[in-house]
Amino acid sequence: MNFKEEIISLLEKETKLKREELANFISIPPDPKLGDYAFPCFKLGKNPKEEAEKLKEAIKEKLPSFILKIEAAGPYLNFFIKNKVIAEVTLTEVYKQAKRYGSSNFGKGQVIVMDYSHPNIAKPFGIGHLRSTVIGNSLYKTFQFLGYKPISVNHLGDWGTQFGKLIVAYTRWGDKKELEKDPIKYLLKLYVKFHAEVEKDETLNEEARAAFKSLEDGNRENLALWEEFKELSLKEFERIYQILDVTFDSYKGEAFVNKLVPEAITEIEKKVETKISEGALIVDLEKENLPPILLRKSDGASTYHSRDVAAALYRLKKYKADKMLYLVGSEQKLYFQQLFKLLELADYNRDKFVHADFGLFRFPEGKMSTRKGNVIFLEDVLNQAIILAEKIIEEKNPTLKNKKDVAKIVGVGAVIFADLSNDRIRNIDFDWDKMLSFEGETAPYIQYTHARACSILRKSELDVRDKINFERFGIEEEMRVVKLLYNFPEALEKVVKTYKPHHLAQYLISLAQAFNEFYHKCPVISEDKNIMKARLLLVDSVKRVLENGLGLLGIKAPEEM
Ligand code: ARG
């Protein structure tokens, strides 16, 4: 049963407001003493306080049976749900739906093409790529859970002028054995060397441009080199994806769409005025207050923008996308404004395109630069997190079975959660101690709470099929947990509407905190079998929702830790 929907129906008849409007107005009051739902009466008349009173009088005889009472408080009309009803509805539903609790048809029929992760070949998998990967992965899972049809595209950075530089560097100074030993580190070294040598000899730039052009023209030898760099890089990326447990529906990146660029440009030129400027093909966006878009370089080479135009047209057609979501850092904001503007000018529906941008993940060591070679290797970060988690587990629970597996789950979970618990727009400062702490807003805290719930359930022998007396619920700490469980689906809807997984992460923190307060206050193992059964069912429900919720963030929940 959806209480909010029922209240909307009640108010729809009385206020003549539209359902969507009502849905937006009705909120959950921050203080439970103000009820479970609040309706602000500002839209009903000049004096909302009076309107709240009037509305209360008008509906007080027509209340559905799940409502305990309504109260007018200032401009608000507050609704209180009966404890027994909300407990019964919620806990029965969680138990019945188990792993599917929270799932719905909310996004039925909607195809969402998601562009995320997209590391660059021959370069280290960066922290920005980690952010994109974990945010994308979590949104993908949540979309699926809510009935959407998401498609994940790993738009690999496997084409562009940098390959010209690499080919020049490798041909001049490269060593096959070194390359195979540690491909990305070695390619990075060559890339850095190239930029150092350019300082002395500018003609190298020309040479690199020519090398890239030869790639575009299909030069076999250079293509074979490129192929090798790509294969070796992907192998390394695959290791990271395995640690994170992430997969993709498509790996069609810049090299693939590069072949579609001429066709895409022809398509765009039918609708949008282009011009030649110093031999290059551009679209002037001055009228739109944006810098021009470069679609083709003077030597005929494609550009990052033109490859994105081709990718967009390809995906719209192939997947019949309703939405195209790009999970890319805020530093490319202007870039996507230009891209979307161009597509809009070419008569594509602007509303379909979303740049869900994010801030930086900052390390105490400072900002990274691939050109100078000072980078933090993500794989090292993940491995370090696993080692630290192992140490903590060794201290806290030395007899634990599968210590290594649990350490991996906890360490990796901590890194993912440090990212997802923040609004993606914000910058995050990386902090090992904070991230791995068993207290505070961390994955280990939630995982530990989940393991605690599992342990309570193991110790008791609950037969949850037994009849539960839902009248037994009523203590504040119990009801807070029940209501949070009831609101899980709403937290998920918020995630998909805003493309922000932190709404779910923060929800899980609240649930874990509420559960720990409940556990502190209310003994679960009790003489009174009725109370015990009811509370065990509550523990069981919390365990399930924590597990489901973490799963949607891409984090596992061990039974013991
Ligand atoms: N590979 C690019 C980078 O690392 C990000 C690609 C983003 N996606 C896109 N369709 N442009 O900066």
Side-chain angles (χ1 to χ4, degrees):
M1 183 189 318
N2 190 324
F3 300 128
K4 188 172 167 181
E5 291 293 324
E6 301 283 330
I7 293 172
I8 290 174
S9 301
L10 181 69
L11 294 177
E12 194 185 13
K13 282 184 214 132
E14 215 52 53
T15 64
K16 314 234 158 31
L17 290 172
K18 288 212 189 67
R19 287 193 81 87
E20 297 129 59
E21 264 182 299
L22 289 164
N24 285 333
F25 288 142
I26 296 175
S27 64
I28 300 171
D31 181 356
K33 288 193 188 67
L34 296 173
D36 298 301
Y37 294 95
F39 175 64
C41 300
F42 302 102
K43 272 264 163 135
L44 299 183
K46 282 216 182 75
N47 186 342
K49 230 173 123 177
E50 248 168 51
E51 294 297 334
E53 281 296 345
K54 266 202 266 171
L55 184 58
K56 180 186 164 188
E57 288 308 312
I59 63 174
K60 77 174 187 221
E61 302 301 330
K62 306 177 197 164
L63 297 177
S65 63
F66 65 83
I67 292 181
L68 176 70
K69 58 174 179 180
I70 50 176
E71 271 174 10
Y76 288 93
L77 185 61
N78 295 333
F79 295 79
F80 294 76
I81 314 287
K82 285 180 187 156
N83 284 344
K84 173 184 181 285
V85 179
I86 195 164
E88 179 160 9
V89 165
T90 307
L91 301 186
T92 313
E93 205 61 18
V94 179
Y95 185 73
K96 260 199 338 227
Q97 294 201 36
K99 283 200 181 324
R100 300 291 303 162
Y101 177 67
S103 67
S104 68
N105 286 327
F106 189 73
K108 195 161 176 230
Q110 290 249 27
V111 177
I112 305 202
V113 176
M114 304 173 64
D115 183 317
Y116 61 91
S117 194
H118 38 234
N120 298 321
I121 297 305
K123 286 197 191 161
F125 193 104
I127 291 296
H129 302 125
L130 170 75
R131 293 216 65 189
S132 176
T133 308
V134 301
I135 297 168
N137 185 48
S138 172
L139 288 176
Y140 183 90
K141 287 177 191 278
T142 314
F143 281 135
Q144 264 188 335
F145 206 56
L146 298 198
Y148 293 81
K149 187 166 189 291
I151 292 153
S152 54
V153 181
N154 195 342
H155 187 73
L156 293 173
D158 52 1
W159 204 252
T161 39
Q162 73 271 27
F163 290 100
K165 297 178 186 171
L166 268 182
I167 286 170
V168 170
Y170 187 77
T171 322
R172 284 181 169 238
W173 314 298
D175 179 285
K176 198 169 166 64
K177 277 217 190 74
E178 289 280 326
L179 173 69
E180 278 163 4
K181 232 184 351 202
D182 198 348
I184 290 186
K185 282 208 176 109
Y186 185 63
L187 288 168
L188 180 64
K189 213 163 114 185
L190 285 177
Y191 194 68
V192 173
K193 186 171 165 80
F194 180 89
H195 284 279
E197 295 289 325
V198 160
E199 299 283 306
K200 291 177 245 160
D201 176 5
E202 268 203 34
T203 62
L204 282 173
N205 268 331
E206 229 12 81
E207 215 177 295
R209 226 165 288 152
F212 177 56
K213 184 74 174 66
S214 81
L215 268 186
E216 295 236 289
D217 295 339
N219 176 300
R220 283 229 185 151
E221 237 167 281
N222 285 348
L223 270 177
L225 272 182
W226 168 80
E227 195 91 48
E228 187 173 3
F229 298 159
K230 178 167 168 174
E231 229 165 82
L232 290 168
S233 304
L234 276 180
K235 238 194 225 159
E236 290 204 31
F237 298 157
E238 235 16 89
R239 281 210 306 269
I240 291 171
Y241 292 140
Q242 244 169 40
I243 301 177
L244 294 171
D245 196 14
V246 172
T247 56
F248 297 90
D249 297 319
S250 161
Y251 278 88
K252 290 199 166 81
E254 297 195 45
F256 172 81
V257 294
N258 184 53
K259 290 178 270 186
L260 310 175
V261 166
E263 208 181 300
I265 290 182
T266 311
E267 190 60 39
I268 292 291
E269 282 184 315
K270 281 185 204 156
K271 301 271 170 65
V272 186
E273 196 186 325
T274 57
K275 65 180 186 196
I276 303 288
S277 164
E278 293 171 36
L281 182 70
I282 66 164
V283 177
D284 192 83
L285 293 177
E286 209 184 326
K287 272 200 216 109
E288 316 290 338
N289 274 325
L290 288 167
I293 283 195
L294 177 60
L295 285 181
R296 193 169 56 223
K297 295 187 183 170
S298 53
D299 63 4
S302 66
T303 64
Y304 184 41
H305 254 138
S306 63
R307 294 190 289 275
D308 254 324
V309 172
L313 302 196
Y314 172 77
R315 291 173 196 166
L316 281 171
K317 204 156 141 201
K318 175 164 170 87
Y319 300 114
K320 307 205 174 16
D322 296 294
K323 275 263 183 293
M324 305 262 278
L325 188 58
Y326 296 81
L327 294 143
V328 188
S330 302
E331 68 280 0
Q332 294 190 32
K333 206 167 183 154
L334 180 63
Y335 172 85
F336 280 103
Q337 280 171 357
Q338 292 171 287
L339 175 67
F340 297 168
K341 182 50 84 181
L342 177 65
L343 291 165
E344 182 187 341
L345 292 173
D347 281 347
Y348 293 94
N349 180 354
R350 171 65 185 85
D351 295 340
K352 285 195 176 184
F353 302 95
V354 181
H355 175 203
D357 60 332
F358 50 80
L360 300 170
F361 215 145
R362 287 179 301 208
F363 283 80
E365 291 86 341
K367 197 169 156 46
M368 315 193 273
S369 154
T370 346
R371 291 200 174 186
K372 299 209 180 87
N374 56 343
V375 290
I376 293 152
F377 285 89
L378 181 63
E379 207 175 345
D380 297 343
V381 172
L382 292 172
N383 286 328
Q384 179 68 10
I386 296 171
I387 291 169
L388 288 175
E390 219 173 318
K391 268 199 202 132
I392 296 172
I393 291 169
E394 194 61 57
E395 263 168 45
K396 291 200 187 246
N397 192 358
T399 57
L400 178 70
K401 287 173 282 176
N402 316 323
K403 259 185 280 191
K404 277 233 163 357
D405 297 337
V406 176
K408 187 177 161 201
I409 293 174
V410 172
V412 174
V415 177
I416 297 177
F417 198 84
D419 189 321
L420 296 185
S421 54
N422 292 287
D423 188 327
R424 59 176 157 73
I425 301 294
R426 286 177 41 195
N427 293 331
I428 308 168
D429 289 311
F430 207 86
D431 181 337
W432 285 111
D433 294 332
K434 215 165 103 188
M435 180 168 99
L436 280 159
S437 163
F438 277 45
E439 278 141 52
E441 303 193 358
T442 67
Y445 172 67
I446 300 172
Q447 288 167 323
Y448 188 70
T449 306
H450 170 267
R452 168 181 270 172
C454 290
S455 134
I456 300 168
L457 294 167
R458 265 197 310 274
K459 281 188 206 133
S460 70
E461 272 141 40
L462 166 73
D463 189 351
V464 231
R465 282 159 308 182
D466 271 8
K467 264 221 138 335
I468 304 279
N469 185 350
F470 289 97
E471 299 280 358
R472 304 312 300 234
F473 286 105
I475 295 176
E476 199 182 315
E477 282 79 3
E478 283 174 340
M479 289 315 298
R480 189 161 149 62
V481 175
V482 168
K483 288 175 185 176
L484 275 165
L485 293 172
Y486 179 81
N487 288 331
F488 181 53
E490 181 155 319
L492 299 181
E493 282 177 21
K494 220 162 163 185
V495 170
V496 295
K497 281 188 201 154
T498 57
Y499 314 115
K500 288 183 174 183
H502 80 277
H503 291 301
L504 171 57
Q506 291 299 335
Y507 166 88
L508 292 174
I509 292 288
S510 304
L511 180 60
Q513 280 166 352
F515 174 77
N516 286 318
E517 276 157 31
F518 150 78
Y519 183 68
H520 222 74
K521 176 84 181 277
C522 312
V524 175
I525 312 297
S526 153
E527 287 293 297
D528 183 335
K529 288 286 170 262
N530 270 325
I531 286 195
M532 177 161 152
K533 266 196 297 196
R535 287 187 179 157
L536 279 171
L537 181 63
L538 188 62
V539 175
D540 187 67
S541 307
V542 169
K543 170 199 128 69
R544 286 170 201 271
V545 172
L546 289 178
E547 187 186 357
N548 290 1
L550 282 175
L552 293 174
L553 294 178
I555 300 173
K556 296 194 178 77
E559 300 254 313
E560 278 179 81
M561 67 185 264

